[in-house]
Amino acid sequence: RPPLAARPSTVAGAHTPEAPTPYELVTGYNNFYEFGTDKEDPARLAHRMRLRPWTVQVDGLVARPLTLDLDDLLKLAPMEERVYRLRCVEGWSMVIPWIGYSLSALIEHARPLGSAKFVEFHTLADRETMPGLRSSVLLWPYVEGLRMDEARHPLTLLAFGLYGELLPPQNGAPLRVVVPWKYGFKSAKSIVRIRFVERQPATAWSVAAPHEYGFYANVNPDVPHPRWSQATERRLGQGGLFAPRVKTQPFNGYAEQVAGLYAGMDLRRFY
Amino acid sequence: MDRWLRAAKPWALLLLAAPAAWLWALALADRLGANPAEALIRGLGLWALRLLWLTLLVTPLRQLTGWQALAGWRRGLGLWAFGYALLHLLAYAWLDQGGDLAAIARDVAQRPFILVGAVAVLLLVPLAATSFDAAIRRLGARRWRALHRLVYAVALLALLHWFWMRSGKRLWGEVAVYAALLALLLGWRLRAAVSRARARAPAATGRPPSRARG
């Protein structure tokens, strides 16, 4: 894959000291239901996705609606490398060296109106190249969303690459968001539209199973999921079969940077 | 056919150790993918389910084909189903919970689908424990049969356990196939029970001889 140059990020919390998960696991074990529900499906099928030309529509409550080409987006801000923990709601986790820049750079560029309270991400839904769309597991296109202050937080990354190269298709090429303190499903892949709205977006998993997946989906060991214990997690690629599970940290270990966003909120209610 | 079935039985039953051995070998060789513990636990659970369904297939198949020697397969298949269910539970307790009983108790309280699965395995224990001839003699055939009808409840609980687990990601396709198969297996018995009841009915509740006519 083509390399993507980047400098180390200076954003607080952007470099976890933990060892990155091997490339083969990062690119071989993915949830990307547009290509199928097995973890191996995306690595097998996502190469069908047409990545060029790629445009992102930026609209809704903004001073200037835009349609940005991928080349514009790649040049919008300097590329940074950030090593984030990724915690899946299914109880496993990875450590991934991403490349991109803070989503806030794009938000400033689009100049949202004061009435914009949330950001919605719409991801690609192409029936020709995405066999998973035939399944009714979720509503397509996959929609995710963040509150404006979450979207503007410097740790919220608009990612274009990982491990020093452009994103492999199965990891959400050509661009995705990465929100390291939330469960992985909040980090929308292969984004085609970014919309600023006043009301809380109806996000894919919170519509599919509202009792299990909330809008916020902050990593929280104290709020159990009926299927997966959230108290602990399995760090993939470390020790294989007998690797003990490790304790899950509130906000996936990013509490110092992000807990303030939720001051006064009952996180058991807003899970 | 019956002779062939009797001769094949010990080998076929021996062969059923293969899935567990194969899963274990793959796991140790780190060939079970990115999350080997989960793959091993789920693989054992799926085989427990398959073997339980096969056990329930024995009687309908015997009645359909008339191959009486199939009856001799039922006990072995049932014991394997129990064996895989137990390995599934032990793999969960050890590889997922680190063998920590307090952690398991917390986990069961938080995740009801695990409780359902654990109850299904526990209900299989008395069946496995009475699966030898002396137990049948001691209990009497009638009570033994009544006890072993628990297997229907176990199958339903196992299916619920799996359905509930898969509900997290709404992946119900495979569960639906197993549910349809179980409906056939239990439906066959229900139909047989109804027709047995009907066959008895005229004798038991038939009109008393009419005096007026006599």
Side-chain angles (χ1 to χ4, degrees), chain A residues 22 24-25 234-243, chain B residues 22-40:
Chain A
E24 293 68 36
L25 294 187
R234 185 168 277 124
R235 182 61 56 81
L236 299 187
Q238 290 185 0
L241 188 59
F242 302 107
Chain B
W22 181 239
L23 277 170
W24 185 244
L26 285 178
L28 287 181
D30 205 9
R31 297 280 302 279
L32 272 185
N35 199 342
E38 186 185 272
L40 180 66

Side-chain angles (χ1 to χ4, degrees), chain B residues 9-197:
Chain B
K9 189 181 83 169
W11 301 104
L13 291 179
L14 197 65
L15 205 63
L16 288 175
W22 181 239
L23 277 170
W24 185 244
L26 285 178
L28 287 181
D30 205 9
R31 297 280 302 279
L32 272 185
N35 199 342
E38 186 185 272
L40 180 66
I41 294 168
R42 292 189 179 178
L44 290 169
L46 189 57
W47 273 102
L49 212 63
R50 286 175 181 155
L51 287 161
L52 192 58
W53 266 228
L54 275 179
T55 310
L56 290 171
L57 177 65
V58 169
T59 299
L61 197 62
R62 178 174 61 81
Q63 289 167 347
L64 277 170
T65 60
W67 301 336
Q68 295 308 320
L70 273 175
W73 285 54
R74 195 172 61 173
R75 176 188 302 179
L77 285 170
L79 281 171
W80 269 121
F82 172 67
Y84 274 85
L86 197 62
L87 286 175
H88 174 57
L89 180 71
L90 289 174
Y92 154 78
W94 180 27
L95 299 174
D96 205 65
Q97 300 296 319
D100 179 348
L101 288 177
I104 293 171
R106 270 198 307 277
D107 201 39
V108 167
Q110 281 187 358
R111 301 195 287 167
F113 89 95
I114 294 195
L115 179 66
V116 170
V119 169
V121 178
L122 289 180
L123 287 181
L124 278 177
V125 172
L127 307 197
T130 56
S131 64
F132 47 94
D133 295 337
I136 303 176
R137 278 197 300 276
R138 206 170 309 150
L139 279 169
R142 180 192 283 273
R143 265 189 298 176
W144 185 88
R145 266 204 305 273
L147 175 67
H148 279 247
R149 289 207 181 97
L150 264 181
V151 74
Y152 306 137
V154 170
L156 289 168
L157 288 172
L159 191 69
L160 174 65
H161 165 72
W162 197 32
F163 167 82
W164 216 339
M165 190 274 275
R166 286 292 176 87
S167 295
K169 287 297 184 85
R170 299 161 58 84
L171 302 177
W172 294 312
E174 272 177 288
V175 183
V177 172
Y178 277 75
L181 290 173
L182 186 63
L184 284 176
L185 293 171
L186 297 186
W188 171 272
R189 290 168 166 82
L190 199 64
R191 211 190 59 161
V194 167
S195 58
R196 270 200 307 276

